[in-house]
Amino acid sequence: MSVSAWILTAGFALLVLLGFPFSFAIGISVIGVLYFTDIPAVMLPQTIISGTQSFSLLGIPFFMLAGEIMSAGGMSKRLVAMADVLVRHLPGGLGHVTILAAVIFAAISGSAPATTAAIGAIMIPAMAERGYSKAYATSLAVSAGVLAPLIPPSIAFVIWGVIAEQSISKLFLAGILPGLLMAGGLSLLVAWNARGNHVTRLPRATFTEVCTAFREGIWALLAPFIVLAGIYGGAFTPTEAAAVACLYSLWVGVFVEKRIKVRDLPEIFINGMRVSAIVMAVMAASSGFSVLIAQEQIATKFAGALGGAITQPWLMLLVLNLVFFLLAAVMDEVAIMVILGPMLIAIANQFGVDPIHFGAVIVTNVAVGMAAPPIGYCLFVGMAISGQKLGEVSRAIWPQILVMLAVLLLTTYIPQFALVFIN
């Protein structure tokens, strides 16, 4: 391999192992290549700027901000209350409430960390009060939170759509069935756990309680309908939908719920910017990295080597899933998508895998990775809420991880799971 190829592969891996933040590791690798080659140094700022100028990427900070506004404005509490009156009487009732509330919240925010934080802040203490272990409650909030990459609108699908140059609206549709199937699998696991541990069942909500919860939460419930109906009705693009979600959530928080004051806005905006900056920094730094990867033909050469060693598409998909899962345990999922995206796409094209189906497989991997120990991002969000240690939550979350992996395999080997709403 050339010096550039060594820096972009072994050099980058060494920086990650040394503990450098991913955006810094990517940027240093690019600078190293520029230093040892005759490529003009101006290439770095040019690619960083161009890599963040995509209109679709505007959806990321908007969806992040929408999640912050909904949490501050009380919409998340309303959604939990509605979920509570619908499913609390089932075996493991509060667990089902957590999952259903997360599905609805995810359909507005598109963000796994925001969903985990909003639902976990309410449900982890509530489950602990009802006798559930805090570790189990945390693991369930995390598992429910990572449904957000699959339930449209999804930030992960926005990122992959930009990388793979595919229709973001079609990718959103590809995540519906895997997301609902994952939610259903988690619900079955909750019921099984409740029966095995003899968890006391809560009383069924009365008709009056149901009507009250829906009357008080109607504005929160309208949000996902406005966002998704607007996208698929052609009223606005996914990026514009993110802005609409922000404006709608702000209007509800300020004028309907009246929980957001003008003095609260700076903190809300700063929190949204802080989370968005993490993702956008990786995207910006990775743009130069991707250009150099393409120039060195690393993705093409690797795809060719893999194609020579593996001749069956099913085996290739299995290997990619295994590699992605192992990398997601020690790397940021956004970084994996951005850095390995060109390579993964080249391999999928070589084996004739449908690009929308492949996108669903990748984002399902992302969902699993956000919950998987030791560095799943949402895992740490849940731990911050509950105060639990990594070892305790890791032991509790493995049954949910196995359910997610089962859904991943179904999505991988039955393409219609992803394409049923498209074809």
Side-chain angles (χ1 to χ4, degrees):
M1 290 195 300
S2 66
V3 173
S4 298
W6 277 110
I7 294 174
L8 294 172
T9 54
F12 170 74
L14 178 61
L15 291 171
V16 171
L17 292 174
L18 290 175
F20 280 74
F22 291 106
S23 55
F24 281 76
I26 295 167
I28 292 171
S29 300
V30 173
I31 292 171
V33 172
L34 297 181
Y35 181 80
F36 286 103
T37 63
D38 58 356
I39 301 174
V42 73
M43 170 266 189
L44 180 57
Q46 286 177 340
T47 54
I48 287 177
I49 293 172
S50 63
T52 56
Q53 296 301 298
S54 170
F55 177 72
S56 297
L57 289 179
L58 280 174
I60 296 174
F62 277 128
F63 278 126
M64 293 286 191
L65 180 58
E68 293 290 336
I69 295 172
M70 285 186 287
S71 297
M75 290 178 69
S76 55
K77 291 184 178 180
R78 298 297 191 194
L79 293 174
V80 168
M82 286 189 288
D84 181 70
V85 298
L86 292 176
V87 296
R88 73 185 186 195
H89 58 281
L90 299 175
L94 288 182
H96 296 294
V97 172
T98 302
I99 295 167
L100 181 57
V103 168
I104 301 173
F105 192 90
I108 313 169
S109 74
S111 166
T115 303
T116 303
I119 303 304
I122 301 170
M123 295 308 304
I124 291 175
M127 293 182 71
E129 287 178 9
R130 287 283 180 174
Y132 293 86
S133 73
K134 268 199 168 184
Y136 174 74
T138 304
S139 72
L140 190 57
V142 171
S143 301
V146 301
L147 293 171
L150 292 169
I151 304 295
S154 156
I155 290 175
F157 275 128
V158 171
I159 295 172
W160 185 256
V162 172
I163 295 169
E165 299 180 351
Q166 295 295 318
S167 166
I168 294 174
S169 296
K170 287 185 178 181
L171 288 170
F172 283 171
L173 290 174
I176 293 177
L177 189 55
L180 294 179
L181 187 63
M182 195 175 289
L186 293 174
S187 293
L188 290 175
L189 196 60
V190 164
W192 177 79
N193 179 77
R195 287 197 174 94
N197 292 283
H198 306 290
V199 175
T200 303
R201 294 178 67 166
L202 299 176
R204 183 187 293 270
T206 64
F207 180 74
T208 301
E209 288 178 313
V210 174
C211 290
T212 300
F214 273 79
R215 184 180 68 253
E216 294 178 349
I218 186 63
W219 294 109
L221 192 61
L222 281 174
F225 289 103
I226 291 172
V227 171
L228 296 178
I231 293 174
Y232 294 107
F236 36 73
T237 66
T239 302
E240 292 165 345
V244 169
C246 286
L247 293 173
Y248 180 82
S249 303
L250 190 61
W251 178 75
V252 172
V254 174
F255 298 107
V256 179
E257 296 288 349
K258 297 181 179 178
R259 298 192 182 197
I260 297 178
K261 308 298 181 185
V262 174
R263 63 177 178 272
D264 300 326
L265 294 179
E267 183 179 358
I268 293 172
F269 287 132
I270 289 171
N271 289 338
M273 290 166 61
R274 184 182 295 116
V275 180
S276 301
I278 297 172
V279 177
M280 296 306 293
V282 174
M283 294 292 293
S286 298
S287 56
F289 193 94
S290 299
V291 169
L292 295 175
I293 286 283
Q295 181 173 300
E296 291 294 317
Q297 296 185 320
I298 294 175
T300 306
K301 291 175 182 176
F302 182 81
L306 187 63
I310 299 175
T311 57
Q312 298 298 322
W314 71 267
L315 184 57
M316 178 275 296
L317 289 169
L318 181 64
V319 170
L320 288 185
N321 279 333
L322 179 61
V323 170
F324 204 106
F325 180 73
L326 294 176
L327 287 176
V330 295
M331 280 184 68
D332 177 78
E333 290 74 21
V334 174
I336 298 174
M337 284 199 295
V338 175
I339 295 169
L340 298 185
M343 192 178 305
L344 297 173
I345 293 165
I347 294 170
N349 290 339
Q350 182 168 332
F351 283 89
V353 179
D354 182 276
I356 301 297
H357 171 225
F358 191 65
V361 172
I362 293 297
V363 174
T364 306
N365 267 298
V366 168
V368 179
M370 285 188 168
I375 68 161
Y377 188 21
C378 291
L379 200 64
F380 283 92
V381 173
M383 288 160 51
I385 295 170
S386 66
Q388 295 293 291
K389 295 180 179 178
L390 177 61
E392 296 168 335
V393 180
S394 297
R395 285 191 293 272
I397 205 171
W398 274 110
Q400 288 107 314
I401 296 293
L402 292 176
V403 168
M404 295 178 190
L405 290 174
V407 173
L408 172 61
L409 289 176
L410 288 172
T411 305
T412 300
Y413 292 112
I414 306 178
Q416 282 306 114
F417 271 84
L419 304 176
V420 64
F421 295 112
I422 299 171
N423 293 338

